[in-house]
Amino acid sequence: MPERAARTAFGRILNQEVNGVTTGLKSLLWSSAALGLLVLLLVPGLNLIAAALLIVPFAVLYTSVSARLFAGCVAIVLALGFWLLGPGALMLGIFFLVPAIVMGHLYRRGAQARTVIMAVSLTLLAEFLLELLVFSVLLDISLIGEMTKQVRLMFAELTAQTPAGQMWDPQMTEQLIKTLVHAIPLVLILISFLCAVVAHWVARRVLRAAYGTEVAGAKPARDWMLPRVLVWYYLIALVLDLFVPAGDDSYLTVVLVNLIPLLRFAFSIQAIGFFFYVAYQRGWSKAVPLLLAIPVLIFPPLSLIGVLDVAFPIRKSFKKT
């Protein structure tokens, strides 16, 4: 009996050692991945992909290791990033670390996918807005102003390359520049949302494959349904847009320039969900709704299908009897 107890105790110690080594190797792997993605953030052409994925290794570490080990891994990654690339890498690392902590914390609490994506999106958006404020107040640098200069420079180069007989209308060009500048909040919202979706999609699969941790996934596309109140918001925004004069720079114009495309994008996603519902009820291949999604995303007016799906019970016509 004493020999058996000793063997059992030795087995437990050996398992702890093996698990400890495995955890250490995985932590090293994810720390290396975070550092590599941090480097790719500064590489043109790859920075958007790296930005969408940098949340993943930090979130996986936060979810799978102790708080002390997580803090140590993050400190090493940020220190190496600062040593290799300078202060810019440190700031970018901290920028993506915050939403990763939010994501990992919600994973530990067993939150639903919608909650995770919404929280991470809002965190990223808040960081973008805080960054604009910090640059404006503390450094006296207007990032929106700099973006406006870049847009004007781009149009000036296009105008210089345009043949003399096909000159651009100056008023139309100026109006287009204003529209693009006013739509900057919309771009930030979409970037935040897409980064959150990609990060959750990847992190969920990584945690399941590497650690056996189950994270709640999003509902099937066929079950997507927006709140009906968004239809009223959309209609009100469209009506208000009819009465806003061209070239107006009021706060209402900026809101409408961002709100209408955002709601249109949401209803386009709803239309895609409707296609998946019909395919499910009719027993079609999943390739059919995927192919139908392409024209919906390319031609915004087709988002009307999503509006009708939310406003009226048209799904009952396709439900199996």
PDB file of all heavy atoms in Angstrom, residues 72-106:
ATOM      1  N   GLY A  72       3.361  38.584 -16.984  1.00  0.00           N
ATOM      2  CA  GLY A  72       4.757  38.412 -17.363  1.00  0.00           C
ATOM      3  C   GLY A  72       4.941  38.299 -18.863  1.00  0.00           C
ATOM      4  O   GLY A  72       5.860  38.917 -19.434  1.00  0.00           O
ATOM      5  N   CYS A  73       4.067  37.518 -19.511  1.00  0.00           N
ATOM      6  CA  CYS A  73       4.156  37.362 -20.969  1.00  0.00           C
ATOM      7  C   CYS A  73       3.930  38.697 -21.679  1.00  0.00           C
ATOM      8  O   CYS A  73       4.654  39.057 -22.615  1.00  0.00           O
ATOM      9  CB  CYS A  73       3.144  36.330 -21.447  1.00  0.00           C
ATOM     10  SG  CYS A  73       3.495  34.631 -20.933  1.00  0.00           S
ATOM     11  N   VAL A  74       2.931  39.446 -21.230  1.00  0.00           N
ATOM     12  CA  VAL A  74       2.619  40.737 -21.848  1.00  0.00           C
ATOM     13  C   VAL A  74       3.779  41.705 -21.663  1.00  0.00           C
ATOM     14  O   VAL A  74       4.159  42.434 -22.589  1.00  0.00           O
ATOM     15  CB  VAL A  74       1.318  41.314 -21.253  1.00  0.00           C
ATOM     16  CG1 VAL A  74       1.136  42.771 -21.670  1.00  0.00           C
ATOM     17  CG2 VAL A  74       0.124  40.484 -21.702  1.00  0.00           C
ATOM     18  N   ALA A  75       4.353  41.722 -20.456  1.00  0.00           N
ATOM     19  CA  ALA A  75       5.476  42.633 -20.187  1.00  0.00           C
ATOM     20  C   ALA A  75       6.658  42.324 -21.102  1.00  0.00           C
ATOM     21  O   ALA A  75       7.298  43.249 -21.636  1.00  0.00           O
ATOM     22  CB  ALA A  75       5.882  42.521 -18.718  1.00  0.00           C
ATOM     23  N   ILE A  76       6.942  41.044 -21.310  1.00  0.00           N
ATOM     24  CA  ILE A  76       8.058  40.663 -22.180  1.00  0.00           C
ATOM     25  C   ILE A  76       7.781  41.073 -23.626  1.00  0.00           C
ATOM     26  O   ILE A  76       8.651  41.617 -24.316  1.00  0.00           O
ATOM     27  CB  ILE A  76       8.313  39.144 -22.080  1.00  0.00           C
ATOM     28  CG1 ILE A  76       8.829  38.795 -20.690  1.00  0.00           C
ATOM     29  CG2 ILE A  76       9.300  38.695 -23.151  1.00  0.00           C
ATOM     30  CD1 ILE A  76       8.957  37.306 -20.437  1.00  0.00           C
ATOM     31  N   VAL A  77       6.551  40.818 -24.093  1.00  0.00           N
ATOM     32  CA  VAL A  77       6.194  41.163 -25.476  1.00  0.00           C
ATOM     33  C   VAL A  77       6.303  42.667 -25.707  1.00  0.00           C
ATOM     34  O   VAL A  77       6.897  43.129 -26.699  1.00  0.00           O
ATOM     35  CB  VAL A  77       4.768  40.678 -25.801  1.00  0.00           C
ATOM     36  CG1 VAL A  77       4.300  41.239 -27.141  1.00  0.00           C
ATOM     37  CG2 VAL A  77       4.724  39.159 -25.839  1.00  0.00           C
ATOM     38  N   LEU A  78       5.759  43.449 -24.783  1.00  0.00           N
ATOM     39  CA  LEU A  78       5.791  44.903 -24.948  1.00  0.00           C
ATOM     40  C   LEU A  78       7.220  45.446 -24.830  1.00  0.00           C
ATOM     41  O   LEU A  78       7.599  46.377 -25.554  1.00  0.00           O
ATOM     42  CB  LEU A  78       4.884  45.565 -23.915  1.00  0.00           C
ATOM     43  CG  LEU A  78       3.387  45.260 -24.034  1.00  0.00           C
ATOM     44  CD1 LEU A  78       2.596  46.006 -22.965  1.00  0.00           C
ATOM     45  CD2 LEU A  78       2.874  45.631 -25.423  1.00  0.00           C
ATOM     46  N   ALA A  79       7.994  44.856 -23.929  1.00  0.00           N
ATOM     47  CA  ALA A  79       9.380  45.312 -23.780  1.00  0.00           C
ATOM     48  C   ALA A  79      10.198  45.015 -25.036  1.00  0.00           C
ATOM     49  O   ALA A  79      10.967  45.863 -25.506  1.00  0.00           O
ATOM     50  CB  ALA A  79      10.012  44.636 -22.559  1.00  0.00           C
ATOM     51  N   LEU A  80      10.048  43.815 -25.586  1.00  0.00           N
ATOM     52  CA  LEU A  80      10.751  43.472 -26.821  1.00  0.00           C
ATOM     53  C   LEU A  80      10.275  44.333 -27.991  1.00  0.00           C
ATOM     54  O   LEU A  80      11.070  44.756 -28.833  1.00  0.00           O
ATOM     55  CB  LEU A  80      10.548  41.991 -27.144  1.00  0.00           C
ATOM     56  CG  LEU A  80      11.286  40.995 -26.239  1.00  0.00           C
ATOM     57  CD1 LEU A  80      10.899  39.566 -26.590  1.00  0.00           C
ATOM     58  CD2 LEU A  80      12.792  41.183 -26.346  1.00  0.00           C
ATOM     59  N   GLY A  81       8.959  44.587 -28.039  1.00  0.00           N
ATOM     60  CA  GLY A  81       8.436  45.450 -29.092  1.00  0.00           C
ATOM     61  C   GLY A  81       9.009  46.856 -28.998  1.00  0.00           C
ATOM     62  O   GLY A  81       9.372  47.460 -30.025  1.00  0.00           O
ATOM     63  N   PHE A  82       9.113  47.371 -27.777  1.00  0.00           N
ATOM     64  CA  PHE A  82       9.699  48.706 -27.576  1.00  0.00           C
ATOM     65  C   PHE A  82      11.169  48.713 -27.961  1.00  0.00           C
ATOM     66  O   PHE A  82      11.671  49.654 -28.581  1.00  0.00           O
ATOM     67  CB  PHE A  82       9.523  49.114 -26.110  1.00  0.00           C
ATOM     68  CG  PHE A  82      10.123  50.449 -25.783  1.00  0.00           C
ATOM     69  CD1 PHE A  82       9.447  51.619 -26.094  1.00  0.00           C
ATOM     70  CD2 PHE A  82      11.354  50.534 -25.161  1.00  0.00           C
ATOM     71  CE1 PHE A  82       9.992  52.860 -25.805  1.00  0.00           C
ATOM     72  CE2 PHE A  82      11.914  51.765 -24.865  1.00  0.00           C
ATOM     73  CZ  PHE A  82      11.225  52.929 -25.184  1.00  0.00           C
ATOM     74  N   TRP A  83      11.905  47.640 -27.615  1.00  0.00           N
ATOM     75  CA  TRP A  83      13.334  47.559 -27.904  1.00  0.00           C
ATOM     76  C   TRP A  83      13.592  47.429 -29.403  1.00  0.00           C
ATOM     77  O   TRP A  83      14.524  48.036 -29.943  1.00  0.00           O
ATOM     78  CB  TRP A  83      13.926  46.380 -27.150  1.00  0.00           C
ATOM     79  CG  TRP A  83      15.398  46.203 -27.393  1.00  0.00           C
ATOM     80  CD1 TRP A  83      16.414  47.063 -27.067  1.00  0.00           C
ATOM     81  CD2 TRP A  83      16.019  45.073 -28.030  1.00  0.00           C
ATOM     82  NE1 TRP A  83      17.626  46.549 -27.468  1.00  0.00           N
ATOM     83  CE2 TRP A  83      17.423  45.336 -28.057  1.00  0.00           C
ATOM     84  CE3 TRP A  83      15.542  43.891 -28.573  1.00  0.00           C
ATOM     85  CZ2 TRP A  83      18.331  44.441 -28.611  1.00  0.00           C
ATOM     86  CZ3 TRP A  83      16.456  42.989 -29.110  1.00  0.00           C
ATOM     87  CH2 TRP A  83      17.827  43.268 -29.140  1.00  0.00           C
ATOM     88  N   LEU A  84      12.745  46.673 -30.094  1.00  0.00           N
ATOM     89  CA  LEU A  84      12.964  46.434 -31.520  1.00  0.00           C
ATOM     90  C   LEU A  84      12.438  47.566 -32.397  1.00  0.00           C
ATOM     91  O   LEU A  84      13.071  47.933 -33.393  1.00  0.00           O
ATOM     92  CB  LEU A  84      12.287  45.123 -31.937  1.00  0.00           C
ATOM     93  CG  LEU A  84      12.875  43.827 -31.370  1.00  0.00           C
ATOM     94  CD1 LEU A  84      11.996  42.652 -31.722  1.00  0.00           C
ATOM     95  CD2 LEU A  84      14.296  43.616 -31.897  1.00  0.00           C
ATOM     96  N   LEU A  85      11.270  48.120 -32.034  1.00  0.00           N
ATOM     97  CA  LEU A  85      10.576  49.036 -32.940  1.00  0.00           C
ATOM     98  C   LEU A  85      10.341  50.424 -32.368  1.00  0.00           C
ATOM     99  O   LEU A  85       9.896  51.312 -33.098  1.00  0.00           O
ATOM    100  CB  LEU A  85       9.223  48.419 -33.349  1.00  0.00           C
ATOM    101  CG  LEU A  85       9.304  47.009 -33.964  1.00  0.00           C
ATOM    102  CD1 LEU A  85       7.917  46.418 -34.094  1.00  0.00           C
ATOM    103  CD2 LEU A  85       9.992  47.077 -35.316  1.00  0.00           C
ATOM    104  N   GLY A  86      10.572  50.620 -31.078  1.00  0.00           N
ATOM    105  CA  GLY A  86      10.413  51.940 -30.516  1.00  0.00           C
ATOM    106  C   GLY A  86       9.068  52.159 -29.840  1.00  0.00           C
ATOM    107  O   GLY A  86       8.257  51.227 -29.698  1.00  0.00           O
ATOM    108  N   PRO A  87       8.786  53.399 -29.427  1.00  0.00           N
ATOM    109  CA  PRO A  87       7.563  53.705 -28.678  1.00  0.00           C
ATOM    110  C   PRO A  87       6.275  53.391 -29.445  1.00  0.00           C
ATOM    111  O   PRO A  87       5.251  53.092 -28.834  1.00  0.00           O
ATOM    112  CB  PRO A  87       7.683  55.212 -28.406  1.00  0.00           C
ATOM    113  CG  PRO A  87       9.126  55.522 -28.572  1.00  0.00           C
ATOM    114  CD  PRO A  87       9.638  54.579 -29.600  1.00  0.00           C
ATOM    115  N   GLY A  88       6.321  53.489 -30.775  1.00  0.00           N
ATOM    116  CA  GLY A  88       5.109  53.220 -31.557  1.00  0.00           C
ATOM    117  C   GLY A  88       4.590  51.809 -31.340  1.00  0.00           C
ATOM    118  O   GLY A  88       3.373  51.593 -31.208  1.00  0.00           O
ATOM    119  N   ALA A  89       5.489  50.844 -31.287  1.00  0.00           N
ATOM    120  CA  ALA A  89       5.086  49.459 -31.053  1.00  0.00           C
ATOM    121  C   ALA A  89       4.484  49.291 -29.662  1.00  0.00           C
ATOM    122  O   ALA A  89       3.521  48.529 -29.477  1.00  0.00           O
ATOM    123  CB  ALA A  89       6.281  48.534 -31.228  1.00  0.00           C
ATOM    124  N   LEU A  90       5.041  49.990 -28.689  1.00  0.00           N
ATOM    125  CA  LEU A  90       4.510  49.913 -27.324  1.00  0.00           C
ATOM    126  C   LEU A  90       3.078  50.447 -27.272  1.00  0.00           C
ATOM    127  O   LEU A  90       2.192  49.829 -26.662  1.00  0.00           O
ATOM    128  CB  LEU A  90       5.408  50.703 -26.374  1.00  0.00           C
ATOM    129  CG  LEU A  90       4.960  50.750 -24.911  1.00  0.00           C
ATOM    130  CD1 LEU A  90       4.943  49.354 -24.311  1.00  0.00           C
ATOM    131  CD2 LEU A  90       5.888  51.664 -24.108  1.00  0.00           C
ATOM    132  N   MET A  91       2.845  51.575 -27.927  1.00  0.00           N
ATOM    133  CA  MET A  91       1.501  52.160 -27.934  1.00  0.00           C
ATOM    134  C   MET A  91       0.511  51.249 -28.654  1.00  0.00           C
ATOM    135  O   MET A  91      -0.625  51.046 -28.182  1.00  0.00           O
ATOM    136  CB  MET A  91       1.537  53.536 -28.599  1.00  0.00           C
ATOM    137  CG  MET A  91       2.332  54.579 -27.831  1.00  0.00           C
ATOM    138  SD  MET A  91       2.442  56.161 -28.708  1.00  0.00           S
ATOM    139  CE  MET A  91       0.696  56.579 -28.820  1.00  0.00           C
ATOM    140  N   LEU A  92       0.921  50.681 -29.779  1.00  0.00           N
ATOM    141  CA  LEU A  92       0.027  49.783 -30.516  1.00  0.00           C
ATOM    142  C   LEU A  92      -0.250  48.514 -29.714  1.00  0.00           C
ATOM    143  O   LEU A  92      -1.379  47.999 -29.725  1.00  0.00           O
ATOM    144  CB  LEU A  92       0.651  49.422 -31.861  1.00  0.00           C
ATOM    145  CG  LEU A  92       0.697  50.538 -32.903  1.00  0.00           C
ATOM    146  CD1 LEU A  92       1.517  50.110 -34.117  1.00  0.00           C
ATOM    147  CD2 LEU A  92      -0.721  50.913 -33.343  1.00  0.00           C
ATOM    148  N   GLY A  93       0.775  48.008 -29.026  1.00  0.00           N
ATOM    149  CA  GLY A  93       0.569  46.821 -28.214  1.00  0.00           C
ATOM    150  C   GLY A  93      -0.442  47.053 -27.110  1.00  0.00           C
ATOM    151  O   GLY A  93      -1.329  46.220 -26.869  1.00  0.00           O
ATOM    152  N   ILE A  94      -0.328  48.179 -26.418  1.00  0.00           N
ATOM    153  CA  ILE A  94      -1.278  48.513 -25.359  1.00  0.00           C
ATOM    154  C   ILE A  94      -2.677  48.736 -25.939  1.00  0.00           C
ATOM    155  O   ILE A  94      -3.692  48.344 -25.338  1.00  0.00           O
ATOM    156  CB  ILE A  94      -0.795  49.755 -24.590  1.00  0.00           C
ATOM    157  CG1 ILE A  94       0.515  49.441 -23.863  1.00  0.00           C
ATOM    158  CG2 ILE A  94      -1.849  50.228 -23.606  1.00  0.00           C
ATOM    159  CD1 ILE A  94       1.146  50.636 -23.187  1.00  0.00           C
ATOM    160  N   PHE A  95      -2.727  49.338 -27.134  1.00  0.00           N
ATOM    161  CA  PHE A  95      -4.014  49.608 -27.783  1.00  0.00           C
ATOM    162  C   PHE A  95      -4.806  48.318 -27.986  1.00  0.00           C
ATOM    163  O   PHE A  95      -6.002  48.258 -27.694  1.00  0.00           O
ATOM    164  CB  PHE A  95      -3.771  50.311 -29.118  1.00  0.00           C
ATOM    165  CG  PHE A  95      -5.027  50.694 -29.847  1.00  0.00           C
ATOM    166  CD1 PHE A  95      -5.595  51.946 -29.656  1.00  0.00           C
ATOM    167  CD2 PHE A  95      -5.642  49.821 -30.716  1.00  0.00           C
ATOM    168  CE1 PHE A  95      -6.758  52.309 -30.316  1.00  0.00           C
ATOM    169  CE2 PHE A  95      -6.806  50.168 -31.390  1.00  0.00           C
ATOM    170  CZ  PHE A  95      -7.353  51.416 -31.190  1.00  0.00           C
ATOM    171  N   PHE A  96      -4.153  47.264 -28.478  1.00  0.00           N
ATOM    172  CA  PHE A  96      -4.844  46.009 -28.745  1.00  0.00           C
ATOM    173  C   PHE A  96      -4.895  45.096 -27.521  1.00  0.00           C
ATOM    174  O   PHE A  96      -5.668  44.131 -27.504  1.00  0.00           O
ATOM    175  CB  PHE A  96      -4.197  45.284 -29.916  1.00  0.00           C
ATOM    176  CG  PHE A  96      -4.450  45.948 -31.239  1.00  0.00           C
ATOM    177  CD1 PHE A  96      -3.497  46.783 -31.805  1.00  0.00           C
ATOM    178  CD2 PHE A  96      -5.647  45.767 -31.907  1.00  0.00           C
ATOM    179  CE1 PHE A  96      -3.732  47.415 -33.020  1.00  0.00           C
ATOM    180  CE2 PHE A  96      -5.892  46.389 -33.114  1.00  0.00           C
ATOM    181  CZ  PHE A  96      -4.941  47.219 -33.673  1.00  0.00           C
ATOM    182  N   LEU A  97      -4.087  45.383 -26.522  1.00  0.00           N
ATOM    183  CA  LEU A  97      -4.118  44.595 -25.294  1.00  0.00           C
ATOM    184  C   LEU A  97      -5.423  44.813 -24.528  1.00  0.00           C
ATOM    185  O   LEU A  97      -5.985  43.862 -23.970  1.00  0.00           O
ATOM    186  CB  LEU A  97      -2.921  44.969 -24.413  1.00  0.00           C
ATOM    187  CG  LEU A  97      -2.869  44.342 -23.019  1.00  0.00           C
ATOM    188  CD1 LEU A  97      -2.749  42.831 -23.121  1.00  0.00           C
ATOM    189  CD2 LEU A  97      -1.706  44.932 -22.222  1.00  0.00           C
ATOM    190  N   VAL A  98      -5.908  46.046 -24.507  1.00  0.00           N
ATOM    191  CA  VAL A  98      -7.121  46.363 -23.739  1.00  0.00           C
ATOM    192  C   VAL A  98      -8.333  45.565 -24.232  1.00  0.00           C
ATOM    193  O   VAL A  98      -9.006  44.897 -23.431  1.00  0.00           O
ATOM    194  CB  VAL A  98      -7.387  47.880 -23.776  1.00  0.00           C
ATOM    195  CG1 VAL A  98      -8.714  48.201 -23.083  1.00  0.00           C
ATOM    196  CG2 VAL A  98      -6.250  48.640 -23.110  1.00  0.00           C
ATOM    197  N   PRO A  99      -8.677  45.599 -25.536  1.00  0.00           N
ATOM    198  CA  PRO A  99      -9.812  44.775 -25.975  1.00  0.00           C
ATOM    199  C   PRO A  99      -9.571  43.277 -25.803  1.00  0.00           C
ATOM    200  O   PRO A  99     -10.523  42.510 -25.620  1.00  0.00           O
ATOM    201  CB  PRO A  99      -9.977  45.145 -27.453  1.00  0.00           C
ATOM    202  CG  PRO A  99      -8.676  45.730 -27.872  1.00  0.00           C
ATOM    203  CD  PRO A  99      -8.126  46.397 -26.655  1.00  0.00           C
ATOM    204  N   ALA A 100      -8.307  42.849 -25.862  1.00  0.00           N
ATOM    205  CA  ALA A 100      -8.009  41.432 -25.639  1.00  0.00           C
ATOM    206  C   ALA A 100      -8.337  41.024 -24.206  1.00  0.00           C
ATOM    207  O   ALA A 100      -8.872  39.930 -23.965  1.00  0.00           O
ATOM    208  CB  ALA A 100      -6.537  41.155 -25.947  1.00  0.00           C
ATOM    209  N   ILE A 101      -8.021  41.897 -23.252  1.00  0.00           N
ATOM    210  CA  ILE A 101      -8.360  41.616 -21.851  1.00  0.00           C
ATOM    211  C   ILE A 101      -9.872  41.568 -21.677  1.00  0.00           C
ATOM    212  O   ILE A 101     -10.406  40.703 -20.969  1.00  0.00           O
ATOM    213  CB  ILE A 101      -7.727  42.671 -20.933  1.00  0.00           C
ATOM    214  CG1 ILE A 101      -6.203  42.517 -20.929  1.00  0.00           C
ATOM    215  CG2 ILE A 101      -8.271  42.559 -19.515  1.00  0.00           C
ATOM    216  CD1 ILE A 101      -5.475  43.575 -20.130  1.00  0.00           C
ATOM    217  N   VAL A 102     -10.580  42.488 -22.329  1.00  0.00           N
ATOM    218  CA  VAL A 102     -12.044  42.475 -22.275  1.00  0.00           C
ATOM    219  C   VAL A 102     -12.589  41.161 -22.834  1.00  0.00           C
ATOM    220  O   VAL A 102     -13.468  40.522 -22.236  1.00  0.00           O
ATOM    221  CB  VAL A 102     -12.626  43.676 -23.052  1.00  0.00           C
ATOM    222  CG1 VAL A 102     -14.139  43.572 -23.165  1.00  0.00           C
ATOM    223  CG2 VAL A 102     -12.232  44.987 -22.377  1.00  0.00           C
ATOM    224  N   MET A 103     -12.056  40.741 -23.975  1.00  0.00           N
ATOM    225  CA  MET A 103     -12.507  39.497 -24.592  1.00  0.00           C
ATOM    226  C   MET A 103     -12.208  38.296 -23.695  1.00  0.00           C
ATOM    227  O   MET A 103     -13.082  37.448 -23.459  1.00  0.00           O
ATOM    228  CB  MET A 103     -11.829  39.323 -25.953  1.00  0.00           C
ATOM    229  CG  MET A 103     -12.164  38.014 -26.651  1.00  0.00           C
ATOM    230  SD  MET A 103     -11.395  37.874 -28.291  1.00  0.00           S
ATOM    231  CE  MET A 103     -12.462  38.958 -29.238  1.00  0.00           C
ATOM    232  N   GLY A 104     -10.979  38.211 -23.176  1.00  0.00           N
ATOM    233  CA  GLY A 104     -10.615  37.098 -22.315  1.00  0.00           C
ATOM    234  C   GLY A 104     -11.443  37.057 -21.045  1.00  0.00           C
ATOM    235  O   GLY A 104     -11.847  35.976 -20.581  1.00  0.00           O
ATOM    236  N   HIS A 105     -11.712  38.217 -20.453  1.00  0.00           N
ATOM    237  CA  HIS A 105     -12.526  38.270 -19.238  1.00  0.00           C
ATOM    238  C   HIS A 105     -13.940  37.768 -19.500  1.00  0.00           C
ATOM    239  O   HIS A 105     -14.497  37.012 -18.694  1.00  0.00           O
ATOM    240  CB  HIS A 105     -12.560  39.710 -18.712  1.00  0.00           C
ATOM    241  CG  HIS A 105     -13.347  39.869 -17.443  1.00  0.00           C
ATOM    242  ND1 HIS A 105     -12.918  39.361 -16.241  1.00  0.00           N
ATOM    243  CD2 HIS A 105     -14.566  40.460 -17.203  1.00  0.00           C
ATOM    244  CE1 HIS A 105     -13.814  39.644 -15.300  1.00  0.00           C
ATOM    245  NE2 HIS A 105     -14.813  40.299 -15.862  1.00  0.00           N
ATOM    246  N   LEU A 106     -14.516  38.155 -20.628  1.00  0.00           N
ATOM    247  CA  LEU A 106     -15.859  37.692 -20.971  1.00  0.00           C
ATOM    248  C   LEU A 106     -15.868  36.199 -21.291  1.00  0.00           C
ATOM    249  O   LEU A 106     -16.848  35.502 -20.993  1.00  0.00           O
ATOM    250  CB  LEU A 106     -16.404  38.500 -22.157  1.00  0.00           C
ATOM    251  CG  LEU A 106     -16.712  39.967 -21.855  1.00  0.00           C
ATOM    252  CD1 LEU A 106     -17.097  40.705 -23.135  1.00  0.00           C
ATOM    253  CD2 LEU A 106     -17.842  40.081 -20.831  1.00  0.00           C
TER     254      LEU A 106
END
